[in-house]
Amino acid sequence: CHVSAKSEQRNVPLKKCPLAMGLEDIAPLVRTVEEIPEPITTVIKGNIPSWINGSFLRNGPGKFEFGKDNFNHWFDGMALMHRFYIHDGEVTYSSRFLRSDSYVRNSEKDRIVVCEFGTMAMPDPCKNFFSRFLSRFKIPKATDNASVNFVKYKGDYYVSTETNYMRRVDPQSLETKEKVDWSEYIAVNSATAHPHYDREGASYNMGNSYGKGFFYNIIRVPPPEKVAGEDKADFSGAQVLCSIPASDSRKPSYYHSFAMSENYVVFIEQPIKLDLLKFMLFRIQGKSFDKVMTWEPQYDTIFHVVHRHTGEQSKVKYSAPPMFTLHQINAYEDKGFLVMDMCCGDDGDVIGDFTLENLRRGPGEEMDKFYNSMCRNLPRRYVLPLTVTDDTPSDQNLVTLPFCQATAVKTGCGKVLCTHEELYDEELFQYGGLEFPQINYAHYNARPYRYYYACGFGHLFSDSLLKMDLETKKLKAWRHPGLFPSEPVFVPAPNATEEDDGVVMSIIITPRTEKSTFLLVLDAKTFTELGRAEVPVNIPFGTHGVFNEMQ
């Protein structure tokens, strides 16, 4: 029944989203570019509000080959950091490749010598046959190619990926500083690139550990302690709040992020599985890490709820039909319920589809067919009742929030089955669903909210910016043919009194014209353009970014 349900679920958004025809070539968006370490000026069109003072920082892959060796997957490209510095209505641009060990070693050898997500490094041809054979049996060292996000711990900026390594960076010069290994501070072997932050400045994240079983760990790094003159990574006081055993220790779940409300952390154990036995076998066969991830919809989705202040795990097992999620929108508590909004899909195979070969398909029938075969990610709301006891009645909807259509039904002792509410109307389908959601995080994270901002995916890469209204489920859009925006980042206006009082910023790139990139600034309330800062450079399509406000 799960297979048929999966097939049925997958077809729902595909039937509703218009089929693409004549998609344009996006190969120029995934090619190697040069870094620009010294800031260059931009040409301002329109008006960049003078109150914006700080740096819009972006991360993402920027180099896709060394010598004659080419990376296979978009995620594998070497991290390239971008900085748009905004001050008094003027903007400059600079960029630097992260000097990770992976980048340095690959550069020295002029070939790929460090394994990445979708690319297995080949043994050194200078070694003899026996040495090359034995190297197949060694577990490859994790990459420190931190190309996913800019994150903050104790007031310092780091770039991160999904291994145990991060790199501290200077947010002004983009200089690479020391490598940080999570496992030297706490008992985890990896961490996500999407931490959460509380009002006091503490950071929360999740990471794996394995030994006698496989565990998902909730991590807390305390707020910064002001120490004058120190210029080094500081993770003192970091701790594991809770260790959650995997439902199947041989097949733990992949996860990219997690949800956090005022009092709870929610880990979403989804049916994208990592086959650990297959991982060892594939290493011997010379296959890459992405091949050990499989979509297995015979498993349900499980929501593990942990109290953020005590580390105590809820005894209630919350589950939902199989789905996958990469990015959470927001989570908050309301009248004894935990409301979780996230971008979801019904076919987790999509992660492995973003190979460079697929992204570089020329325009035409093959590109259209590939895009139309992919599942659409759509916003959903799940609601978890937090007061379930042995006396709670079974077989009836426990969700009593008047604005929610999501349901939660007690199906047995300590078990609750959740079904979601769709957070959109059919207007969204013409934009191909959405991803990369952002909110007014500083003031509304873990609190009731109304608006979020995201990218629409009418192509393999995002081709529109969207503002979604949760009360009306209506949207506002910024979309122009041939222009591909990055994840929108909201910056609140000084002394703002309303949730959407501020601007939304995004980097816009195009495959149609060489060196035609600009920073777009939209009025968040009306979603109309205020201004843009044009810069004559090529920027590849990237991943995530932040706004670093400076006084």
mmCIF file of all heavy atoms in Angstrom, residues 212-258:
data_model
loop_
_atom_site.group_PDB
_atom_site.id
_atom_site.type_symbol
_atom_site.label_atom_id
_atom_site.label_comp_id
_atom_site.label_asym_id
_atom_site.label_seq_id
_atom_site.Cartn_x
_atom_site.Cartn_y
_atom_site.Cartn_z
ATOM 1 N N LYS A 212 27.804 1.597 19.264
ATOM 2 C CA LYS A 212 26.833 0.551 19.583
ATOM 3 C C LYS A 212 25.447 1.042 19.169
ATOM 4 O O LYS A 212 24.599 1.373 19.982
ATOM 5 C CB LYS A 212 26.875 0.233 21.071
ATOM 6 C CG LYS A 212 28.192 -0.404 21.508
ATOM 7 C CD LYS A 212 28.175 -0.738 22.986
ATOM 8 C CE LYS A 212 29.483 -1.400 23.397
ATOM 9 N NZ LYS A 212 29.509 -1.719 24.848
ATOM 10 N N GLY A 213 25.231 1.114 17.871
ATOM 11 C CA GLY A 213 23.994 1.659 17.330
ATOM 12 C C GLY A 213 24.260 2.972 16.618
ATOM 13 O O GLY A 213 25.382 3.463 16.567
ATOM 14 N N PHE A 214 23.202 3.557 16.088
ATOM 15 C CA PHE A 214 23.294 4.827 15.365
ATOM 16 C C PHE A 214 22.363 5.810 16.053
ATOM 17 O O PHE A 214 21.199 5.503 16.331
ATOM 18 C CB PHE A 214 22.888 4.637 13.898
ATOM 19 C CG PHE A 214 23.242 5.794 13.012
ATOM 20 C CD1 PHE A 214 24.343 5.737 12.184
ATOM 21 C CD2 PHE A 214 22.479 6.955 13.006
ATOM 22 C CE1 PHE A 214 24.686 6.802 11.364
ATOM 23 C CE2 PHE A 214 22.807 8.028 12.206
ATOM 24 C CZ PHE A 214 23.928 7.939 11.367
ATOM 25 N N PHE A 215 22.876 7.028 16.320
ATOM 26 C CA PHE A 215 22.107 8.009 17.081
ATOM 27 C C PHE A 215 22.087 9.361 16.369
ATOM 28 O O PHE A 215 23.065 9.759 15.728
ATOM 29 C CB PHE A 215 22.713 8.186 18.478
ATOM 30 C CG PHE A 215 22.661 6.939 19.320
ATOM 31 C CD1 PHE A 215 23.689 6.010 19.254
ATOM 32 C CD2 PHE A 215 21.587 6.697 20.164
ATOM 33 C CE1 PHE A 215 23.646 4.848 20.022
ATOM 34 C CE2 PHE A 215 21.536 5.541 20.930
ATOM 35 C CZ PHE A 215 22.569 4.615 20.855
ATOM 36 N N TYR A 216 20.948 10.040 16.517
ATOM 37 C CA TYR A 216 20.812 11.430 16.091
ATOM 38 C C TYR A 216 20.906 12.282 17.346
ATOM 39 O O TYR A 216 20.153 12.082 18.301
ATOM 40 C CB TYR A 216 19.466 11.664 15.414
ATOM 41 C CG TYR A 216 19.056 10.608 14.415
ATOM 42 C CD1 TYR A 216 18.045 9.693 14.720
ATOM 43 C CD2 TYR A 216 19.649 10.526 13.159
ATOM 44 C CE1 TYR A 216 17.640 8.744 13.797
ATOM 45 C CE2 TYR A 216 19.260 9.563 12.237
ATOM 46 C CZ TYR A 216 18.252 8.677 12.565
ATOM 47 O OH TYR A 216 17.859 7.728 11.655
ATOM 48 N N ASN A 217 21.830 13.246 17.362
ATOM 49 C CA ASN A 217 22.109 14.009 18.568
ATOM 50 C C ASN A 217 21.720 15.472 18.423
ATOM 51 O O ASN A 217 22.041 16.105 17.408
ATOM 52 C CB ASN A 217 23.594 13.932 18.900
ATOM 53 C CG ASN A 217 24.068 12.503 19.105
ATOM 54 O OD1 ASN A 217 23.815 11.903 20.133
ATOM 55 N ND2 ASN A 217 24.750 11.953 18.103
ATOM 56 N N ILE A 218 21.062 16.003 19.436
ATOM 57 C CA ILE A 218 20.743 17.424 19.483
ATOM 58 C C ILE A 218 21.876 18.136 20.215
ATOM 59 O O ILE A 218 22.247 17.767 21.335
ATOM 60 C CB ILE A 218 19.402 17.677 20.181
ATOM 61 C CG1 ILE A 218 18.269 17.000 19.395
ATOM 62 C CG2 ILE A 218 19.133 19.171 20.313
ATOM 63 C CD1 ILE A 218 16.936 17.017 20.100
ATOM 64 N N ILE A 219 22.448 19.150 19.567
ATOM 65 C CA ILE A 219 23.634 19.852 20.061
ATOM 66 C C ILE A 219 23.245 21.264 20.495
ATOM 67 O O ILE A 219 22.444 21.927 19.839
ATOM 68 C CB ILE A 219 24.691 19.953 18.939
ATOM 69 C CG1 ILE A 219 25.051 18.577 18.387
ATOM 70 C CG2 ILE A 219 25.929 20.700 19.417
ATOM 71 C CD1 ILE A 219 25.746 18.654 17.025
ATOM 72 N N ARG A 220 23.846 21.710 21.594
ATOM 73 C CA ARG A 220 23.678 23.109 22.019
ATOM 74 C C ARG A 220 25.051 23.745 22.224
ATOM 75 O O ARG A 220 25.911 23.174 22.904
ATOM 76 C CB ARG A 220 22.884 23.211 23.320
ATOM 77 C CG ARG A 220 22.664 24.662 23.778
ATOM 78 C CD ARG A 220 21.910 24.718 25.113
ATOM 79 N NE ARG A 220 21.604 26.092 25.498
ATOM 80 C CZ ARG A 220 22.409 26.876 26.222
ATOM 81 N NH1 ARG A 220 23.587 26.423 26.628
ATOM 82 N NH2 ARG A 220 22.040 28.111 26.546
ATOM 83 N N VAL A 221 25.247 24.909 21.601
ATOM 84 C CA VAL A 221 26.451 25.709 21.815
ATOM 85 C C VAL A 221 26.012 26.985 22.524
ATOM 86 O O VAL A 221 25.135 27.698 22.031
ATOM 87 C CB VAL A 221 27.160 26.045 20.487
ATOM 88 C CG1 VAL A 221 28.403 26.893 20.749
ATOM 89 C CG2 VAL A 221 27.537 24.764 19.738
ATOM 90 N N PRO A 222 26.580 27.287 23.696
ATOM 91 C CA PRO A 222 26.082 28.427 24.482
ATOM 92 C C PRO A 222 26.318 29.768 23.802
ATOM 93 O O PRO A 222 27.078 29.865 22.832
ATOM 94 C CB PRO A 222 26.866 28.309 25.796
ATOM 95 C CG PRO A 222 28.078 27.517 25.456
ATOM 96 C CD PRO A 222 27.677 26.581 24.358
ATOM 97 N N PRO A 223 25.687 30.829 24.320
ATOM 98 C CA PRO A 223 25.893 32.173 23.757
ATOM 99 C C PRO A 223 27.346 32.603 23.894
ATOM 100 O O PRO A 223 28.099 32.061 24.700
ATOM 101 C CB PRO A 223 24.972 33.063 24.611
ATOM 102 C CG PRO A 223 24.000 32.132 25.247
ATOM 103 C CD PRO A 223 24.711 30.837 25.422
ATOM 104 N N PRO A 224 27.752 33.619 23.113
ATOM 105 C CA PRO A 224 29.140 34.084 23.199
ATOM 106 C C PRO A 224 29.437 34.731 24.548
ATOM 107 O O PRO A 224 28.579 35.355 25.161
ATOM 108 C CB PRO A 224 29.245 35.103 22.060
ATOM 109 C CG PRO A 224 27.837 35.516 21.773
ATOM 110 C CD PRO A 224 26.984 34.334 22.084
ATOM 111 N N GLU A 225 30.674 34.521 24.994
ATOM 112 C CA GLU A 225 31.168 35.209 26.182
ATOM 113 C C GLU A 225 32.232 36.186 25.702
ATOM 114 O O GLU A 225 33.178 35.788 25.038
ATOM 115 C CB GLU A 225 31.777 34.206 27.165
ATOM 116 C CG GLU A 225 30.797 33.122 27.587
ATOM 117 C CD GLU A 225 31.503 31.935 28.206
ATOM 118 O OE1 GLU A 225 32.755 31.967 28.271
ATOM 119 O OE2 GLU A 225 30.807 30.994 28.623
ATOM 120 N N LYS A 226 32.057 37.439 26.017
ATOM 121 C CA LYS A 226 32.959 38.461 25.471
ATOM 122 C C LYS A 226 34.362 38.329 26.081
ATOM 123 O O LYS A 226 34.549 38.498 27.281
ATOM 124 C CB LYS A 226 32.396 39.857 25.738
ATOM 125 C CG LYS A 226 31.117 40.141 24.940
ATOM 126 C CD LYS A 226 30.647 41.562 25.119
ATOM 127 C CE LYS A 226 29.402 41.839 24.272
ATOM 128 N NZ LYS A 226 28.920 43.232 24.447
ATOM 129 N N VAL A 227 35.319 38.000 25.201
ATOM 130 C CA VAL A 227 36.715 37.918 25.605
ATOM 131 C C VAL A 227 37.506 38.803 24.651
ATOM 132 O O VAL A 227 37.617 38.516 23.461
ATOM 133 C CB VAL A 227 37.247 36.472 25.558
ATOM 134 C CG1 VAL A 227 38.718 36.444 25.967
ATOM 135 C CG2 VAL A 227 36.408 35.570 26.458
ATOM 136 N N ALA A 228 38.048 39.885 25.150
ATOM 137 C CA ALA A 228 38.725 40.863 24.299
ATOM 138 C C ALA A 228 39.986 40.272 23.686
ATOM 139 O O ALA A 228 40.759 39.573 24.350
ATOM 140 C CB ALA A 228 39.083 42.105 25.113
ATOM 141 N N GLY A 229 40.160 40.536 22.393
ATOM 142 C CA GLY A 229 41.405 40.184 21.717
ATOM 143 C C GLY A 229 41.529 38.752 21.269
ATOM 144 O O GLY A 229 42.526 38.382 20.645
ATOM 145 N N GLU A 230 40.569 37.887 21.575
ATOM 146 C CA GLU A 230 40.664 36.483 21.156
ATOM 147 C C GLU A 230 40.243 36.340 19.702
ATOM 148 O O GLU A 230 39.230 36.869 19.288
ATOM 149 C CB GLU A 230 39.796 35.590 22.049
ATOM 150 C CG GLU A 230 40.469 35.239 23.361
ATOM 151 C CD GLU A 230 39.876 33.955 23.957
ATOM 152 O OE1 GLU A 230 38.861 33.476 23.434
ATOM 153 O OE2 GLU A 230 40.445 33.456 24.938
ATOM 154 N N ASP A 231 41.040 35.603 18.952
ATOM 155 C CA ASP A 231 40.724 35.371 17.548
ATOM 156 C C ASP A 231 40.913 33.884 17.252
ATOM 157 O O ASP A 231 41.853 33.479 16.580
ATOM 158 C CB ASP A 231 41.617 36.219 16.641
ATOM 159 C CG ASP A 231 41.226 36.078 15.164
ATOM 160 O OD1 ASP A 231 40.042 35.802 14.886
ATOM 161 O OD2 ASP A 231 42.111 36.213 14.300
ATOM 162 N N LYS A 232 40.021 33.083 17.796
ATOM 163 C CA LYS A 232 40.100 31.641 17.579
ATOM 164 C C LYS A 232 38.710 31.039 17.771
ATOM 165 O O LYS A 232 37.828 31.643 18.394
ATOM 166 C CB LYS A 232 41.089 30.996 18.541
ATOM 167 C CG LYS A 232 40.717 31.107 19.999
ATOM 168 C CD LYS A 232 41.738 30.408 20.887
ATOM 169 C CE LYS A 232 41.317 30.474 22.357
ATOM 170 N NZ LYS A 232 42.278 29.770 23.238
ATOM 171 N N ALA A 233 38.540 29.861 17.225
ATOM 172 C CA ALA A 233 37.266 29.156 17.367
ATOM 173 C C ALA A 233 37.030 28.815 18.835
ATOM 174 O O ALA A 233 37.938 28.388 19.537
ATOM 175 C CB ALA A 233 37.280 27.890 16.519
ATOM 176 N N ASP A 234 35.807 29.020 19.269
ATOM 177 C CA ASP A 234 35.465 28.752 20.672
ATOM 178 C C ASP A 234 34.182 27.930 20.727
ATOM 179 O O ASP A 234 33.111 28.422 20.385
ATOM 180 C CB ASP A 234 35.286 30.070 21.427
ATOM 181 C CG ASP A 234 34.883 29.859 22.882
ATOM 182 O OD1 ASP A 234 35.003 28.721 23.376
ATOM 183 O OD2 ASP A 234 34.432 30.822 23.524
ATOM 184 N N PHE A 235 34.299 26.685 21.140
ATOM 185 C CA PHE A 235 33.134 25.825 21.320
ATOM 186 C C PHE A 235 33.063 25.301 22.742
ATOM 187 O O PHE A 235 32.456 24.261 22.999
ATOM 188 C CB PHE A 235 33.167 24.668 20.310
ATOM 189 C CG PHE A 235 32.764 25.087 18.925
ATOM 190 C CD1 PHE A 235 33.675 25.686 18.077
ATOM 191 C CD2 PHE A 235 31.460 24.931 18.482
ATOM 192 C CE1 PHE A 235 33.312 26.105 16.807
ATOM 193 C CE2 PHE A 235 31.085 25.348 17.215
ATOM 194 C CZ PHE A 235 32.007 25.934 16.370
ATOM 195 N N SER A 236 33.675 26.024 23.664
ATOM 196 C CA SER A 236 33.609 25.629 25.068
ATOM 197 C C SER A 236 32.156 25.654 25.529
ATOM 198 O O SER A 236 31.389 26.542 25.180
ATOM 199 C CB SER A 236 34.455 26.575 25.925
ATOM 200 O OG SER A 236 34.006 27.916 25.774
ATOM 201 N N GLY A 237 31.794 24.653 26.293
ATOM 202 C CA GLY A 237 30.421 24.555 26.790
ATOM 203 C C GLY A 237 29.461 23.844 25.861
ATOM 204 O O GLY A 237 28.289 23.647 26.209
ATOM 205 N N ALA A 238 29.940 23.455 24.673
ATOM 206 C CA ALA A 238 29.067 22.715 23.754
ATOM 207 C C ALA A 238 28.668 21.388 24.384
ATOM 208 O O ALA A 238 29.484 20.742 25.068
ATOM 209 C CB ALA A 238 29.774 22.481 22.425
ATOM 210 N N GLN A 239 27.440 20.975 24.182
ATOM 211 C CA GLN A 239 26.973 19.731 24.786
ATOM 212 C C GLN A 239 25.939 19.039 23.896
ATOM 213 O O GLN A 239 25.302 19.679 23.054
ATOM 214 C CB GLN A 239 26.366 20.016 26.161
ATOM 215 C CG GLN A 239 25.135 20.907 26.119
ATOM 216 C CD GLN A 239 24.552 21.201 27.478
ATOM 217 O OE1 GLN A 239 24.253 22.333 27.808
ATOM 218 N NE2 GLN A 239 24.358 20.177 28.277
ATOM 219 N N VAL A 240 25.798 17.743 24.104
ATOM 220 C CA VAL A 240 24.730 16.979 23.470
ATOM 221 C C VAL A 240 23.550 16.958 24.436
ATOM 222 O O VAL A 240 23.647 16.456 25.556
ATOM 223 C CB VAL A 240 25.189 15.543 23.138
ATOM 224 C CG1 VAL A 240 24.007 14.699 22.673
ATOM 225 C CG2 VAL A 240 26.273 15.577 22.072
ATOM 226 N N LEU A 241 22.423 17.540 24.013
ATOM 227 C CA LEU A 241 21.241 17.607 24.873
ATOM 228 C C LEU A 241 20.501 16.289 24.930
ATOM 229 O O LEU A 241 19.938 15.912 25.957
ATOM 230 C CB LEU A 241 20.276 18.689 24.362
ATOM 231 C CG LEU A 241 20.673 20.146 24.541
ATOM 232 C CD1 LEU A 241 19.573 21.038 23.995
ATOM 233 C CD2 LEU A 241 20.918 20.459 26.017
ATOM 234 N N CYS A 242 20.478 15.584 23.793
ATOM 235 C CA CYS A 242 19.696 14.347 23.717
ATOM 236 C C CYS A 242 20.222 13.490 22.575
ATOM 237 O O CYS A 242 20.581 14.029 21.516
ATOM 238 C CB CYS A 242 18.216 14.677 23.498
ATOM 239 S SG CYS A 242 17.135 13.232 23.391
ATOM 240 N N SER A 243 20.300 12.184 22.791
ATOM 241 C CA SER A 243 20.672 11.240 21.741
ATOM 242 C C SER A 243 19.458 10.375 21.416
ATOM 243 O O SER A 243 18.916 9.710 22.293
ATOM 244 C CB SER A 243 21.839 10.354 22.185
ATOM 245 O OG SER A 243 23.024 11.109 22.294
ATOM 246 N N ILE A 244 19.050 10.411 20.153
ATOM 247 C CA ILE A 244 17.849 9.701 19.710
ATOM 248 C C ILE A 244 18.291 8.481 18.901
ATOM 249 O O ILE A 244 18.949 8.634 17.858
ATOM 250 C CB ILE A 244 16.969 10.612 18.837
ATOM 251 C CG1 ILE A 244 16.587 11.877 19.610
ATOM 252 C CG2 ILE A 244 15.739 9.871 18.342
ATOM 253 C CD1 ILE A 244 16.020 12.982 18.740
ATOM 254 N N PRO A 245 18.001 7.268 19.341
ATOM 255 C CA PRO A 245 18.415 6.086 18.569
ATOM 256 C C PRO A 245 17.655 5.998 17.255
ATOM 257 O O PRO A 245 16.449 6.286 17.191
ATOM 258 C CB PRO A 245 18.073 4.917 19.493
ATOM 259 C CG PRO A 245 17.035 5.440 20.429
ATOM 260 C CD PRO A 245 17.290 6.909 20.581
ATOM 261 N N ALA A 246 18.366 5.618 16.196
ATOM 262 C CA ALA A 246 17.720 5.438 14.898
ATOM 263 C C ALA A 246 16.722 4.295 14.969
ATOM 264 O O ALA A 246 16.940 3.299 15.672
ATOM 265 C CB ALA A 246 18.773 5.156 13.829
ATOM 266 N N SER A 247 15.617 4.421 14.260
ATOM 267 C CA SER A 247 14.609 3.365 14.239
ATOM 268 C C SER A 247 15.188 2.071 13.672
ATOM 269 O O SER A 247 14.810 0.974 14.088
ATOM 270 C CB SER A 247 13.400 3.809 13.404
ATOM 271 O OG SER A 247 12.810 4.954 13.971
ATOM 272 N N ASP A 248 16.106 2.195 12.718
ATOM 273 C CA ASP A 248 16.821 1.054 12.149
ATOM 274 C C ASP A 248 18.287 1.446 12.073
ATOM 275 O O ASP A 248 18.675 2.257 11.240
ATOM 276 C CB ASP A 248 16.275 0.717 10.757
ATOM 277 C CG ASP A 248 16.926 -0.526 10.145
ATOM 278 O OD1 ASP A 248 17.995 -0.952 10.638
ATOM 279 O OD2 ASP A 248 16.380 -1.072 9.169
ATOM 280 N N SER A 249 19.118 0.893 12.957
ATOM 281 C CA SER A 249 20.516 1.322 13.047
ATOM 282 C C SER A 249 21.322 0.962 11.809
ATOM 283 O O SER A 249 22.384 1.528 11.565
ATOM 284 C CB SER A 249 21.177 0.712 14.282
ATOM 285 O OG SER A 249 21.152 -0.708 14.208
ATOM 286 N N ARG A 250 20.817 0.020 10.999
ATOM 287 C CA ARG A 250 21.516 -0.335 9.757
ATOM 288 C C ARG A 250 21.155 0.619 8.627
ATOM 289 O O ARG A 250 21.883 0.712 7.640
ATOM 290 C CB ARG A 250 21.173 -1.766 9.349
ATOM 291 C CG ARG A 250 21.617 -2.844 10.325
ATOM 292 C CD ARG A 250 20.929 -4.141 10.022
ATOM 293 N NE ARG A 250 19.475 -4.003 10.059
ATOM 294 C CZ ARG A 250 18.619 -4.961 9.704
ATOM 295 N NH1 ARG A 250 19.071 -6.110 9.260
ATOM 296 N NH2 ARG A 250 17.320 -4.754 9.777
ATOM 297 N N LYS A 251 20.029 1.318 8.775
ATOM 298 C CA LYS A 251 19.568 2.240 7.750
ATOM 299 C C LYS A 251 19.093 3.534 8.393
ATOM 300 O O LYS A 251 17.895 3.822 8.441
ATOM 301 C CB LYS A 251 18.438 1.619 6.916
ATOM 302 C CG LYS A 251 18.887 0.541 5.952
ATOM 303 C CD LYS A 251 17.752 0.133 5.029
ATOM 304 C CE LYS A 251 18.213 -0.845 3.975
ATOM 305 N NZ LYS A 251 17.116 -1.188 3.026
ATOM 306 N N PRO A 252 20.017 4.343 8.893
ATOM 307 C CA PRO A 252 19.611 5.623 9.469
ATOM 308 C C PRO A 252 19.117 6.576 8.390
ATOM 309 O O PRO A 252 19.393 6.400 7.209
ATOM 310 C CB PRO A 252 20.901 6.136 10.112
ATOM 311 C CG PRO A 252 21.997 5.490 9.318
ATOM 312 C CD PRO A 252 21.473 4.133 8.937
ATOM 313 N N SER A 253 18.415 7.596 8.819
ATOM 314 C CA SER A 253 17.828 8.557 7.888
ATOM 315 C C SER A 253 18.782 9.702 7.589
ATOM 316 O O SER A 253 19.523 10.159 8.461
ATOM 317 C CB SER A 253 16.530 9.134 8.458
ATOM 318 O OG SER A 253 15.528 8.146 8.507
ATOM 319 N N TYR A 254 18.717 10.165 6.348
ATOM 320 C CA TYR A 254 19.389 11.416 5.980
ATOM 321 C C TYR A 254 18.512 12.586 6.425
ATOM 322 O O TYR A 254 17.285 12.531 6.346
ATOM 323 C CB TYR A 254 19.600 11.482 4.467
ATOM 324 C CG TYR A 254 20.018 12.863 4.001
ATOM 325 C CD1 TYR A 254 21.330 13.303 4.168
ATOM 326 C CD2 TYR A 254 19.098 13.745 3.441
ATOM 327 C CE1 TYR A 254 21.715 14.589 3.784
ATOM 328 C CE2 TYR A 254 19.467 15.019 3.047
ATOM 329 C CZ TYR A 254 20.785 15.430 3.223
ATOM 330 O OH TYR A 254 21.151 16.697 2.846
ATOM 331 N N TYR A 255 19.142 13.660 6.881
ATOM 332 C CA TYR A 255 18.395 14.881 7.212
ATOM 333 C C TYR A 255 19.266 16.087 6.913
ATOM 334 O O TYR A 255 20.491 16.034 7.014
ATOM 335 C CB TYR A 255 17.934 14.885 8.670
ATOM 336 C CG TYR A 255 19.040 14.713 9.687
ATOM 337 C CD1 TYR A 255 19.609 15.796 10.325
ATOM 338 C CD2 TYR A 255 19.513 13.435 10.014
ATOM 339 C CE1 TYR A 255 20.618 15.645 11.260
ATOM 340 C CE2 TYR A 255 20.525 13.268 10.955
ATOM 341 C CZ TYR A 255 21.079 14.371 11.575
ATOM 342 O OH TYR A 255 22.086 14.209 12.490
ATOM 343 N N HIS A 256 18.630 17.164 6.528
ATOM 344 C CA HIS A 256 19.317 18.384 6.125
ATOM 345 C C HIS A 256 19.101 19.506 7.134
ATOM 346 O O HIS A 256 19.876 20.448 7.184
ATOM 347 C CB HIS A 256 18.788 18.804 4.744
ATOM 348 C CG HIS A 256 19.505 19.946 4.110
ATOM 349 N ND1 HIS A 256 20.779 19.843 3.595
ATOM 350 C CD2 HIS A 256 19.124 21.236 3.890
ATOM 351 C CE1 HIS A 256 21.157 21.004 3.084
ATOM 352 N NE2 HIS A 256 20.171 21.871 3.260
ATOM 353 N N SER A 257 18.038 19.391 7.921
ATOM 354 C CA SER A 257 17.700 20.432 8.894
ATOM 355 C C SER A 257 16.766 19.826 9.934
ATOM 356 O O SER A 257 16.495 18.622 9.928
ATOM 357 C CB SER A 257 17.048 21.627 8.195
ATOM 358 O OG SER A 257 15.842 21.237 7.577
ATOM 359 N N PHE A 258 16.241 20.663 10.817
ATOM 360 C CA PHE A 258 15.327 20.213 11.868
ATOM 361 C C PHE A 258 14.460 21.398 12.268
ATOM 362 O O PHE A 258 14.687 22.526 11.817
ATOM 363 C CB PHE A 258 16.101 19.660 13.069
ATOM 364 C CG PHE A 258 17.000 20.669 13.722
ATOM 365 C CD1 PHE A 258 16.610 21.342 14.872
ATOM 366 C CD2 PHE A 258 18.248 20.963 13.181
ATOM 367 C CE1 PHE A 258 17.436 22.292 15.463
ATOM 368 C CE2 PHE A 258 19.087 21.911 13.767
ATOM 369 C CZ PHE A 258 18.677 22.580 14.902
#
